[in-house]
Amino acid sequence: MKRPGTSVGKFFERFPNERACLEHIFETRWGEHSPCPGCGGVGGWFHVTGTKKYAHRCRRQFSVLKDTIFYRSNLSLMAWFYAILLFANSNSGKRSSFIRKQLGLGLTSSLRLCYQIRLQTAFCERPVRIGGPGKNVYIDETLVPYVNTNRPGDTPSAIVMGMACEGQVVSGIIPDRTLRTFEKNIDRFVVPGSTIITDGHLSYSGLSRKGWHHIAV
């Protein structure tokens, strides 16, 4: 079952202004659950008027944006949050040209914003496993040229394998297209009992012998 997205109306109801965005970041990172780095006390925070900083009752001030993609950015938090909404509501991401038109940004600003959002998304925890009894898991792989994997002796290309089920996607770089490599990753990321749907690559032909319900398209 696909997860419903967040409507524009609900977004602006939740984040009507810059202060609401800043408070959300503060509550997520600090709130009443994190101790002050200065004195170690929990709670007792207040917003410093006219800034993006919060102060503790010990009078130490901190920028809640430090070590985030928003830190020292000339863009408003509303622009950042709305761009994240557009990415989150899309199954395939958004082009920087689309974001630029939606937010009225320049070329450089839109490119940097999209790059930072994609980079942050890449660090999000991936599903432990996808699929399950009665569910279809679609698997494919492709050669992506001009990719630097930072491995000694690598050529500027990479084989990327992807698995998808009901809106959840797991993908990554694999060393080769052998049956052993395919089986290793399928065993790791696909729940037993799933129906695996692939193309006719020969290295998928052994999945049925391993007990998987396999359909080659």
Side-chain angles (χ1 to χ4, degrees):
M1 183 178 180
K2 293 184 178 180
R3 298 176 181 177
T6 301
S7 68
V8 175
K10 287 185 177 295
F11 171 80
F12 283 109
E13 181 181 340
R14 176 66 181 83
F15 302 109
N17 50 45
E18 286 286 292
R19 179 65 185 276
C21 296
L22 186 66
E23 286 180 353
H24 176 75
I25 297 172
F26 168 74
E27 291 296 335
T28 302
R29 300 193 68 201
W30 298 83
E32 300 299 322
H33 52 77
S34 296
C36 170
C39 67
V42 177
W45 296 94
F46 59 92
H47 177 244
V48 180
T49 305
T51 72
K52 293 181 180 179
K53 295 182 178 182
Y54 277 75
H56 192 253
R57 56 178 168 237
C58 69
R59 299 301 176 180
R60 289 285 299 274
Q61 295 186 11
F62 302 93
S63 171
V64 296
L65 304 183
K66 190 175 181 180
D67 299 325
T68 72
I69 58 177
F70 317 113
Y71 189 53
R72 292 182 176 175
S73 172
N74 292 326
L75 300 178
S76 67
L77 293 177
M78 287 287 290
W80 278 102
F81 275 42
Y82 187 67
I84 293 172
L85 171 74
L86 296 176
F87 271 88
N89 279 347
S90 172
N91 291 328
S92 56
K94 289 296 181 182
R95 293 179 178 271
S96 60
S97 57
F98 177 82
I99 298 296
R100 177 162 54 91
K101 293 175 183 177
Q102 289 289 310
L103 300 180
L105 302 176
L107 177 61
T108 302
S109 295
S110 61
L111 287 173
R112 179 184 179 276
L113 181 145
C114 292
Y115 172 78
Q116 292 292 339
I117 292 176
R118 293 187 186 108
L119 189 64
Q120 187 74 13
T121 304
F123 281 96
C124 291
E125 184 178 355
R126 71 174 69 190
V128 177
R129 277 185 164 186
I130 61 175
K135 296 183 179 181
N136 295 333
V137 178
Y138 299 86
I139 301 177
D140 198 5
E141 83 296 328
T142 186
L143 180 67
V144 180
Y146 311 115
V147 174
N148 182 10
T149 59
N150 293 322
R151 296 173 183 169
D154 275 3
T155 56
S157 63
I159 302 172
V160 177
M161 186 178 193
M163 310 175 188
C165 178
E166 298 182 345
Q168 289 187 307
V169 176
V170 175
S171 64
I173 295 174
I174 57 177
D176 51 54
R177 286 186 167 111
T178 62
L179 173 60
R180 182 177 181 179
T181 296
F182 285 179
E183 288 179 345
K184 176 182 177 182
N185 285 280
I186 291 172
D187 288 342
R188 179 181 178 186
F189 294 113
V190 180
V191 177
S194 305
T195 298
I196 297 177
I197 301 176
T198 69
D199 57 19
H201 197 289
L202 290 177
S203 292
Y204 292 116
S205 61
L207 294 177
S208 296
R209 295 193 299 271
K210 293 290 185 177
W212 293 100
H213 182 206
H214 176 222
I215 299 175
V217 179

